[in-house]
Amino acid sequence: MTNIYQPKEAIISEIKRLTANTKHFTLRFSNSRDRENFNFDFGQFIMLSVLGFGEIPLGVSSSPDCKENFEIGVRKSGTVTSGLFKLKLGDKVGLRGPFGKGIKPNDLKYKSIALIAGGVGLVPLRSLIQYVSWHRKDFGRVSLIYGAKSRFELLYKDEHKNWQKTIDTFFTVDEDIGDWTGQVGLVTKICNPENLKYEDSIAIVCGPPVMYKSVAEKLKGLGFQDKDIYLLLERQMKCGVGKCQHCVCDGKYVCQDGPVFTYEEAKEIKGMV
Ligand SMILES: Cc1cc2nc3c(=O)[nH]c(=O)nc-3n(C[C@H](O)[C@H](O)[C@H](O)COP(=O)(O)OP(=O)(O)OC[C@H]3O[C@@H](n4cnc5c(N)ncnc54)[C@H](O)[C@@H]3O)c2cc1C
Ligand code: FES
């Protein structure tokens, strides 16, 4: 029987700095069977453990198609992420999961998709961007609306040109510093009909908690229905599997009932958005 608390060993095979406080890690399970069995849906999360520091939930930033290696993007924010940032190539981490309810790639087939990301919320959406670029004919129009604090905080800058070959991208920053010639303001400012209005489309939103309600309401104004707006939500998590109660919000377990909720579901859960 599988022990859901037993981490599997993975090795860090690449580290790239994305911004001053964010790093991209490529990981590879040590065991080939673990590599073959690692299947996940968009928005599901893993529990990553760093020896001597602890365990944290993280999204996956690479496409579910990537079997040999997979990628994560991490912002340094406290104990475990600082421990992770000290690791070097070849060091080992522990992994459990994937956990939670995500969005199945097949459920998105032939749809148009609006991706709306704020800050480090772009990390799990990059998985979908990568997937779309490899299966382009399976999708309608795909747009990315992405906001960061400043141009120095924009993630995956070296990939943006490549993304623009397959999807429409619209970026905005809060602070107009360091030679920025683009849009300034919150992401809601660029959620407009030119960038987002199209038939049979769904929206997927990931970002800081403060962003969800205003973005969802803006999308509704553009004609999106509550059931077609997916929110990737975060809560403090410990077990990741519905046992410890750390993630519970108004009776819902974010680790099991989520972390992906439609706006239709989330707005009925007190304190969720
Ligand atoms: C489903 C899910 C997916 C996530 N995906 C990513 C990801 O792809 N990349 C990434 O960088 N981060 C992600 N996070 C957030 C990440 O788990 C936290 O940054 C991490 O747990 C902080 O751990 P720490 O020990 O370094 O910081 P701590 O020392 O525990 O805390 C540092 C500060 O961060 C706050 N904090 C801790 N956990 C969270 C949380 N879950 N949400 C909001 N604030 C928190 C604490 O209250 C404290 O103020 C995700 C969280 C969840 C629940
Ligand atoms: S994280 Fe333990 S119950 Fe959800």
Side-chain angles (χ1 to χ4, degrees), residues 5 45 47 57 235-248 252-256:
Y5 298 109
F45 65 95
M47 295 299 294
R235 283 294 180 279
Q236 299 268 9
M237 287 181 186
K238 290 286 175 214
C239 71
V241 289
K243 307 284 182 211
C244 74
Q245 315 266 331
H246 269 85
C247 67
V248 173
K252 289 279 177 192
Y253 288 71
V254 177
C255 68
Q256 287 204 311

PDB file of all heavy atoms in Angstrom, residues 5 45 47 57 235-248 252-256, ligand 2:
ATOM      1  N   TYR A   5       2.373   9.760   3.308  1.00  0.00           N
ATOM      2  CA  TYR A   5       3.264  10.669   4.046  1.00  0.00           C
ATOM      3  C   TYR A   5       4.732  10.441   3.712  1.00  0.00           C
ATOM      4  O   TYR A   5       5.591  11.160   4.193  1.00  0.00           O
ATOM      5  CB  TYR A   5       3.070  10.495   5.566  1.00  0.00           C
ATOM      6  CG  TYR A   5       1.674  10.847   6.002  1.00  0.00           C
ATOM      7  CD1 TYR A   5       0.779   9.868   6.416  1.00  0.00           C
ATOM      8  CD2 TYR A   5       1.243  12.173   5.974  1.00  0.00           C
ATOM      9  CE1 TYR A   5      -0.512  10.199   6.795  1.00  0.00           C
ATOM     10  CE2 TYR A   5      -0.051  12.508   6.353  1.00  0.00           C
ATOM     11  CZ  TYR A   5      -0.910  11.515   6.763  1.00  0.00           C
ATOM     12  OH  TYR A   5      -2.183  11.845   7.132  1.00  0.00           O
ATOM     13  N   PHE A  45      -0.969  20.437  -6.584  1.00  0.00           N
ATOM     14  CA  PHE A  45       0.273  20.866  -5.932  1.00  0.00           C
ATOM     15  C   PHE A  45       1.049  19.660  -5.414  1.00  0.00           C
ATOM     16  O   PHE A  45       0.506  18.562  -5.287  1.00  0.00           O
ATOM     17  CB  PHE A  45      -0.037  21.844  -4.785  1.00  0.00           C
ATOM     18  CG  PHE A  45      -0.818  21.239  -3.652  1.00  0.00           C
ATOM     19  CD1 PHE A  45      -0.169  20.736  -2.526  1.00  0.00           C
ATOM     20  CD2 PHE A  45      -2.204  21.148  -3.702  1.00  0.00           C
ATOM     21  CE1 PHE A  45      -0.881  20.164  -1.477  1.00  0.00           C
ATOM     22  CE2 PHE A  45      -2.931  20.580  -2.662  1.00  0.00           C
ATOM     23  CZ  PHE A  45      -2.269  20.086  -1.553  1.00  0.00           C
ATOM     24  N   MET A  47       3.964  18.468  -2.257  1.00  0.00           N
ATOM     25  CA  MET A  47       4.551  18.845  -0.972  1.00  0.00           C
ATOM     26  C   MET A  47       6.041  18.565  -1.105  1.00  0.00           C
ATOM     27  O   MET A  47       6.440  17.419  -1.346  1.00  0.00           O
ATOM     28  CB  MET A  47       3.944  18.019   0.171  1.00  0.00           C
ATOM     29  CG  MET A  47       2.469  18.273   0.416  1.00  0.00           C
ATOM     30  SD  MET A  47       2.040  19.976   0.894  1.00  0.00           S
ATOM     31  CE  MET A  47       2.813  20.150   2.489  1.00  0.00           C
ATOM     32  N   PRO A  57       3.850  23.362   0.422  1.00  0.00           N
ATOM     33  CA  PRO A  57       3.134  23.102  -0.836  1.00  0.00           C
ATOM     34  C   PRO A  57       3.672  24.005  -1.944  1.00  0.00           C
ATOM     35  O   PRO A  57       3.974  25.169  -1.709  1.00  0.00           O
ATOM     36  CB  PRO A  57       1.688  23.497  -0.488  1.00  0.00           C
ATOM     37  CG  PRO A  57       1.806  24.488   0.615  1.00  0.00           C
ATOM     38  CD  PRO A  57       3.091  24.215   1.346  1.00  0.00           C
ATOM     39  N   ARG A 235      -3.880  28.283   0.840  1.00  0.00           N
ATOM     40  CA  ARG A 235      -4.037  28.392   2.293  1.00  0.00           C
ATOM     41  C   ARG A 235      -2.818  27.747   2.913  1.00  0.00           C
ATOM     42  O   ARG A 235      -2.134  26.960   2.277  1.00  0.00           O
ATOM     43  CB  ARG A 235      -5.306  27.656   2.782  1.00  0.00           C
ATOM     44  CG  ARG A 235      -6.617  28.390   2.528  1.00  0.00           C
ATOM     45  CD  ARG A 235      -6.706  29.683   3.334  1.00  0.00           C
ATOM     46  NE  ARG A 235      -7.942  30.434   3.127  1.00  0.00           N
ATOM     47  CZ  ARG A 235      -8.194  31.255   2.101  1.00  0.00           C
ATOM     48  NH1 ARG A 235      -7.309  31.431   1.153  1.00  0.00           N
ATOM     49  NH2 ARG A 235      -9.338  31.907   2.023  1.00  0.00           N
ATOM     50  N   GLN A 236      -2.539  28.045   4.170  1.00  0.00           N
ATOM     51  CA  GLN A 236      -1.442  27.372   4.871  1.00  0.00           C
ATOM     52  C   GLN A 236      -1.751  25.885   4.885  1.00  0.00           C
ATOM     53  O   GLN A 236      -2.866  25.500   5.207  1.00  0.00           O
ATOM     54  CB  GLN A 236      -1.364  27.871   6.313  1.00  0.00           C
ATOM     55  CG  GLN A 236      -1.089  29.354   6.431  1.00  0.00           C
ATOM     56  CD  GLN A 236       0.395  29.655   6.538  1.00  0.00           C
ATOM     57  OE1 GLN A 236       1.240  28.773   6.367  1.00  0.00           O
ATOM     58  NE2 GLN A 236       0.713  30.903   6.804  1.00  0.00           N
ATOM     59  N   MET A 237      -0.792  25.064   4.523  1.00  0.00           N
ATOM     60  CA  MET A 237      -1.031  23.608   4.489  1.00  0.00           C
ATOM     61  C   MET A 237       0.050  22.866   5.256  1.00  0.00           C
ATOM     62  O   MET A 237       1.204  23.310   5.279  1.00  0.00           O
ATOM     63  CB  MET A 237      -1.025  23.117   3.046  1.00  0.00           C
ATOM     64  CG  MET A 237      -2.258  23.532   2.276  1.00  0.00           C
ATOM     65  SD  MET A 237      -2.180  22.899   0.616  1.00  0.00           S
ATOM     66  CE  MET A 237      -3.627  23.681  -0.095  1.00  0.00           C
ATOM     67  N   LYS A 238      -0.321  21.763   5.853  1.00  0.00           N
ATOM     68  CA  LYS A 238       0.665  20.922   6.555  1.00  0.00           C
ATOM     69  C   LYS A 238       0.713  19.525   5.949  1.00  0.00           C
ATOM     70  O   LYS A 238       1.742  19.061   5.524  1.00  0.00           O
ATOM     71  CB  LYS A 238       0.335  20.822   8.058  1.00  0.00           C
ATOM     72  CG  LYS A 238       0.559  22.090   8.824  1.00  0.00           C
ATOM     73  CD  LYS A 238       2.047  22.383   9.044  1.00  0.00           C
ATOM     74  CE  LYS A 238       2.241  23.729   9.709  1.00  0.00           C
ATOM     75  NZ  LYS A 238       3.443  24.423   9.295  1.00  0.00           N
ATOM     76  N   CYS A 239      -0.450  18.841   5.939  1.00  0.00           N
ATOM     77  CA  CYS A 239      -0.429  17.438   5.481  1.00  0.00           C
ATOM     78  C   CYS A 239      -0.664  17.337   3.970  1.00  0.00           C
ATOM     79  O   CYS A 239      -0.125  16.457   3.318  1.00  0.00           O
ATOM     80  CB  CYS A 239      -1.459  16.610   6.254  1.00  0.00           C
ATOM     81  SG  CYS A 239      -3.173  17.002   5.827  1.00  0.00           S
ATOM     82  N   GLY A 240      -1.494  18.201   3.426  1.00  0.00           N
ATOM     83  CA  GLY A 240      -1.811  18.170   2.001  1.00  0.00           C
ATOM     84  C   GLY A 240      -2.851  17.139   1.619  1.00  0.00           C
ATOM     85  O   GLY A 240      -3.232  17.033   0.458  1.00  0.00           O
ATOM     86  N   VAL A 241      -3.317  16.357   2.615  1.00  0.00           N
ATOM     87  CA  VAL A 241      -4.195  15.223   2.266  1.00  0.00           C
ATOM     88  C   VAL A 241      -5.458  15.136   3.152  1.00  0.00           C
ATOM     89  O   VAL A 241      -5.982  14.051   3.386  1.00  0.00           O
ATOM     90  CB  VAL A 241      -3.421  13.879   2.339  1.00  0.00           C
ATOM     91  CG1 VAL A 241      -2.419  13.774   1.202  1.00  0.00           C
ATOM     92  CG2 VAL A 241      -2.726  13.702   3.682  1.00  0.00           C
ATOM     93  N   GLY A 242      -5.916  16.269   3.650  1.00  0.00           N
ATOM     94  CA  GLY A 242      -7.201  16.268   4.346  1.00  0.00           C
ATOM     95  C   GLY A 242      -7.210  15.725   5.763  1.00  0.00           C
ATOM     96  O   GLY A 242      -8.261  15.289   6.247  1.00  0.00           O
ATOM     97  N   LYS A 243      -6.068  15.732   6.457  1.00  0.00           N
ATOM     98  CA  LYS A 243      -6.029  15.179   7.818  1.00  0.00           C
ATOM     99  C   LYS A 243      -5.788  16.226   8.906  1.00  0.00           C
ATOM    100  O   LYS A 243      -6.343  16.130   9.982  1.00  0.00           O
ATOM    101  CB  LYS A 243      -4.911  14.112   7.943  1.00  0.00           C
ATOM    102  CG  LYS A 243      -4.952  13.023   6.911  1.00  0.00           C
ATOM    103  CD  LYS A 243      -6.036  12.015   7.208  1.00  0.00           C
ATOM    104  CE  LYS A 243      -5.998  10.898   6.169  1.00  0.00           C
ATOM    105  NZ  LYS A 243      -7.307  10.339   5.913  1.00  0.00           N
ATOM    106  N   CYS A 244      -4.954  17.235   8.640  1.00  0.00           N
ATOM    107  CA  CYS A 244      -4.482  18.098   9.741  1.00  0.00           C
ATOM    108  C   CYS A 244      -5.385  19.290  10.013  1.00  0.00           C
ATOM    109  O   CYS A 244      -5.262  19.923  11.045  1.00  0.00           O
ATOM    110  CB  CYS A 244      -3.073  18.589   9.428  1.00  0.00           C
ATOM    111  SG  CYS A 244      -3.013  19.865   8.138  1.00  0.00           S
ATOM    112  N   GLN A 245      -6.282  19.651   9.095  1.00  0.00           N
ATOM    113  CA  GLN A 245      -7.230  20.766   9.216  1.00  0.00           C
ATOM    114  C   GLN A 245      -6.608  22.153   9.027  1.00  0.00           C
ATOM    115  O   GLN A 245      -7.290  23.157   9.187  1.00  0.00           O
ATOM    116  CB  GLN A 245      -7.924  20.754  10.604  1.00  0.00           C
ATOM    117  CG  GLN A 245      -8.408  19.428  11.069  1.00  0.00           C
ATOM    118  CD  GLN A 245      -9.875  19.182  10.713  1.00  0.00           C
ATOM    119  OE1 GLN A 245     -10.658  20.126  10.613  1.00  0.00           O
ATOM    120  NE2 GLN A 245     -10.231  17.953  10.523  1.00  0.00           N
ATOM    121  N   HIS A 246      -5.294  22.240   8.744  1.00  0.00           N
ATOM    122  CA  HIS A 246      -4.663  23.554   8.633  1.00  0.00           C
ATOM    123  C   HIS A 246      -5.257  24.408   7.517  1.00  0.00           C
ATOM    124  O   HIS A 246      -5.260  25.624   7.605  1.00  0.00           O
ATOM    125  CB  HIS A 246      -3.156  23.396   8.378  1.00  0.00           C
ATOM    126  CG  HIS A 246      -2.355  23.368   9.629  1.00  0.00           C
ATOM    127  ND1 HIS A 246      -2.161  22.218  10.348  1.00  0.00           N
ATOM    128  CD2 HIS A 246      -1.740  24.360  10.310  1.00  0.00           C
ATOM    129  CE1 HIS A 246      -1.433  22.505  11.412  1.00  0.00           C
ATOM    130  NE2 HIS A 246      -1.170  23.788  11.421  1.00  0.00           N
ATOM    131  N   CYS A 247      -5.734  23.765   6.469  1.00  0.00           N
ATOM    132  CA  CYS A 247      -6.164  24.522   5.284  1.00  0.00           C
ATOM    133  C   CYS A 247      -7.666  24.772   5.253  1.00  0.00           C
ATOM    134  O   CYS A 247      -8.171  25.321   4.288  1.00  0.00           O
ATOM    135  CB  CYS A 247      -5.784  23.726   4.041  1.00  0.00           C
ATOM    136  SG  CYS A 247      -6.735  22.206   3.911  1.00  0.00           S
ATOM    137  N   VAL A 248      -8.369  24.356   6.325  1.00  0.00           N
ATOM    138  CA  VAL A 248      -9.843  24.388   6.266  1.00  0.00           C
ATOM    139  C   VAL A 248     -10.372  25.823   6.244  1.00  0.00           C
ATOM    140  O   VAL A 248      -9.920  26.686   6.995  1.00  0.00           O
ATOM    141  CB  VAL A 248     -10.454  23.604   7.452  1.00  0.00           C
ATOM    142  CG1 VAL A 248     -11.966  23.783   7.484  1.00  0.00           C
ATOM    143  CG2 VAL A 248     -10.110  22.126   7.318  1.00  0.00           C
ATOM    144  N   LYS A 252     -14.485  23.729   4.135  1.00  0.00           N
ATOM    145  CA  LYS A 252     -13.886  23.172   2.910  1.00  0.00           C
ATOM    146  C   LYS A 252     -12.389  22.956   3.128  1.00  0.00           C
ATOM    147  O   LYS A 252     -11.712  23.817   3.701  1.00  0.00           O
ATOM    148  CB  LYS A 252     -14.057  24.146   1.731  1.00  0.00           C
ATOM    149  CG  LYS A 252     -15.473  24.246   1.257  1.00  0.00           C
ATOM    150  CD  LYS A 252     -15.835  23.089   0.350  1.00  0.00           C
ATOM    151  CE  LYS A 252     -17.286  23.174  -0.069  1.00  0.00           C
ATOM    152  NZ  LYS A 252     -17.778  21.962  -0.708  1.00  0.00           N
ATOM    153  N   TYR A 253     -11.895  21.818   2.649  1.00  0.00           N
ATOM    154  CA  TYR A 253     -10.465  21.517   2.721  1.00  0.00           C
ATOM    155  C   TYR A 253      -9.823  21.999   1.425  1.00  0.00           C
ATOM    156  O   TYR A 253     -10.050  21.402   0.368  1.00  0.00           O
ATOM    157  CB  TYR A 253     -10.256  20.010   2.875  1.00  0.00           C
ATOM    158  CG  TYR A 253     -10.624  19.483   4.234  1.00  0.00           C
ATOM    159  CD1 TYR A 253     -11.961  19.406   4.628  1.00  0.00           C
ATOM    160  CD2 TYR A 253      -9.657  19.058   5.124  1.00  0.00           C
ATOM    161  CE1 TYR A 253     -12.312  18.935   5.888  1.00  0.00           C
ATOM    162  CE2 TYR A 253      -9.995  18.580   6.384  1.00  0.00           C
ATOM    163  CZ  TYR A 253     -11.319  18.522   6.756  1.00  0.00           C
ATOM    164  OH  TYR A 253     -11.655  18.064   7.999  1.00  0.00           O
ATOM    165  N   VAL A 254      -9.018  23.077   1.540  1.00  0.00           N
ATOM    166  CA  VAL A 254      -8.419  23.626   0.313  1.00  0.00           C
ATOM    167  C   VAL A 254      -7.491  22.589  -0.340  1.00  0.00           C
ATOM    168  O   VAL A 254      -7.384  22.519  -1.558  1.00  0.00           O
ATOM    169  CB  VAL A 254      -7.684  24.958   0.610  1.00  0.00           C
ATOM    170  CG1 VAL A 254      -6.992  25.505  -0.637  1.00  0.00           C
ATOM    171  CG2 VAL A 254      -8.676  25.987   1.141  1.00  0.00           C
ATOM    172  N   CYS A 255      -6.868  21.729   0.494  1.00  0.00           N
ATOM    173  CA  CYS A 255      -5.936  20.736  -0.062  1.00  0.00           C
ATOM    174  C   CYS A 255      -6.648  19.619  -0.820  1.00  0.00           C
ATOM    175  O   CYS A 255      -6.029  18.953  -1.643  1.00  0.00           O
ATOM    176  CB  CYS A 255      -5.063  20.148   1.042  1.00  0.00           C
ATOM    177  SG  CYS A 255      -5.948  19.110   2.224  1.00  0.00           S
ATOM    178  N   GLN A 256      -7.925  19.387  -0.530  1.00  0.00           N
ATOM    179  CA  GLN A 256      -8.637  18.285  -1.196  1.00  0.00           C
ATOM    180  C   GLN A 256      -9.795  18.768  -2.061  1.00  0.00           C
ATOM    181  O   GLN A 256      -9.980  18.278  -3.168  1.00  0.00           O
ATOM    182  CB  GLN A 256      -9.167  17.307  -0.149  1.00  0.00           C
ATOM    183  CG  GLN A 256      -8.055  16.481   0.456  1.00  0.00           C
ATOM    184  CD  GLN A 256      -8.566  15.176   1.017  1.00  0.00           C
ATOM    185  OE1 GLN A 256      -9.542  15.181   1.764  1.00  0.00           O
ATOM    186  NE2 GLN A 256      -7.916  14.086   0.687  1.00  0.00           N
TER     187      GLN A 256
HETATM  188  S1  FES B   2      -3.426  20.609   4.595  1.00  0.00           S
HETATM  189 FE1  FES B   2      -3.947  19.192   6.148  1.00  0.00          FE
HETATM  190  S2  FES B   2      -6.120  19.080   5.957  1.00  0.00           S
HETATM  191 FE2  FES B   2      -5.527  20.332   4.289  1.00  0.00          FE
END
